[in-house]
Amino acid sequence: MKTDILTEKHRLGLGGVAIGTAFEALTDEESYSVLQKAWDLGIRYYDTSPWYGLTKSERRFGSFLQNQSRNEFVFSTKVGRLFWEVLENEVPPTMWKAPLHYDFEHNYTADAIKRSIEDSLERTKLNHIDIVYVHDLSEDQVGDRYPYFLKQAREGAFKVLSELRGQGVIKAWGMGVNKIEPILDCLESADPDVCLSATQYSILDHEDAVDRLLPALKKKQV
C-alpha cells in the first residue's frame, strides 16, 4: 500500500453493515455494546458508510469513537451517495431493517464528494476521516448507468479525493465495491491508495482476484 496507515494492529477491523441494521433492528444500546466489546478486544480499525441504515451506522460509530483518543484508531467511511431527510412514509425501500428517515441519490461529482465528506464529519463529530472509499460504483448497484457514473467519478471523485489527500484532509482513498472491474477501471485513470474488494476473495470465490485483481494492485503498489 502507498501509505502506512493500516499496520499490523489493523489486520482485524469492524465493519458497520450490521450496526446499520442490515440483519436485524439493533438498538443504539446493542450497537454501542458491540463497539465497546470490539474496542476492549483491541480492534482499532472501524469501517462504515452513510449508506448503512441511511446514515444510522455512521452516526453510531461516531457517537462511540468520538469518546476515544483519535490517534488510537483508523476510521474509514464512504462517498458516492447524498442523503436528505424525508418523512417516514417517504423513506425508499432498502435492505435496512430500521433505517433513519432519509432518501438518497448516487452522485460522484467533485462537489458531491466534498459535501459527502463534510456531512460524514458532521454526523460522526470526528475531526478527520482517515480513509475514504468510493462506494458502490459498480454494475451490481447502478446497473447500466455504470459508464455514466464512472465518467462522473473520473472527472470528479477520483481527482478531488487525490487533492484532499494532498491537502491532508484525508489520509488515503480508494474504491469500495462488490465487483473487481471498477477497481481495475479506477487503476487505469487514478492513483488510489487502498481498495476494499468486498466478498471477492474467499474460499468459494477467488479466481478473478488471484488472476486479475491482486496482480494489478501489486503492480500499482495499492
Side-chain angles (χ1 to χ4, degrees):
M1 191 171 62
K2 295 180 183 177
T3 77
D4 59 358
I5 185 173
L6 295 176
T7 66
E8 184 68 23
K9 70 178 181 179
H10 305 117
R11 288 179 71 86
L12 285 178
L14 182 69
V17 170
I19 284 174
T21 70
F23 310 114
E24 57 183 275
L26 291 182
T27 65
D28 286 344
E29 290 73 20
E30 289 170 327
S31 297
Y32 299 148
S33 178
V34 170
L35 288 161
Q36 185 64 59
K37 185 65 173 179
W39 186 269
D40 293 344
L41 290 171
I43 299 297
R44 293 297 182 269
Y45 175 39
Y46 298 87
D47 171 71
T48 188
S49 167
W51 168 237
Y52 305 158
L54 306 187
T55 78
K56 178 176 279 190
S57 178
E58 200 174 59
R59 295 172 194 274
R60 286 173 165 176
F61 271 68
S63 293
F64 177 80
L65 291 172
Q66 66 185 271
N67 296 315
Q68 314 304 325
S69 176
R70 187 62 187 88
N71 61 1
E72 285 292 313
F73 63 90
V74 170
F75 176 75
S76 61
T77 191
K78 304 181 179 77
V79 295
R81 293 179 177 90
L82 293 177
F83 297 82
W84 59 92
E85 196 166 3
V86 295
L87 298 174
E88 183 175 2
N89 63 356
E90 296 175 343
V91 178
T94 62
M95 62 184 287
W96 313 108
K97 307 300 183 185
L100 295 181
H101 301 159
Y102 283 81
D103 200 349
F104 65 92
E105 67 175 6
H106 288 270
N107 193 323
Y108 298 92
T109 63
D111 286 345
I113 298 311
K114 291 177 182 178
R115 178 183 154 190
S116 183
I117 291 173
E118 291 173 358
D119 289 347
S120 291
L121 288 170
E122 175 61 29
R123 283 190 288 264
T124 61
K125 308 302 181 187
L126 299 176
N127 58 19
H128 70 274
I129 296 167
D130 298 297
I131 304 171
V132 173
Y133 295 113
V134 179
H135 199 199
D136 287 344
L137 177 54
S138 54
E139 288 186 354
D140 64 310
Q141 298 294 323
V142 300
D144 60 7
R145 295 176 296 166
Y146 175 69
Y148 168 79
F149 283 123
L150 178 62
K151 182 176 184 291
Q152 196 177 76
R154 281 175 165 158
E155 296 173 354
F158 297 169
K159 291 181 178 179
V160 77
L161 287 170
S162 290
E163 291 171 2
L164 292 173
R165 179 186 58 199
Q167 296 165 8
V169 177
I170 62 175
K171 294 182 179 179
W173 75 272
M175 300 292 284
V177 288
N178 303 328
K179 297 292 182 182
I180 285 173
E181 283 71 19
I183 297 176
L184 297 174
D185 287 340
C186 177
L187 291 175
E188 289 181 358
S189 57
D191 60 342
D193 304 282
V194 52
C195 290
L196 191 164
S197 182
T199 73
Q200 300 303 299
Y201 183 60
S202 67
I203 292 174
L204 294 177
D205 188 1
H206 57 265
E207 289 186 3
D208 267 356
V210 171
D211 295 340
R212 299 169 58 211
L213 180 62
L214 296 181
L217 293 171
K218 184 177 181 180
K219 183 178 180 180
K220 294 281 190 174
Q221 295 184 300
V222 174

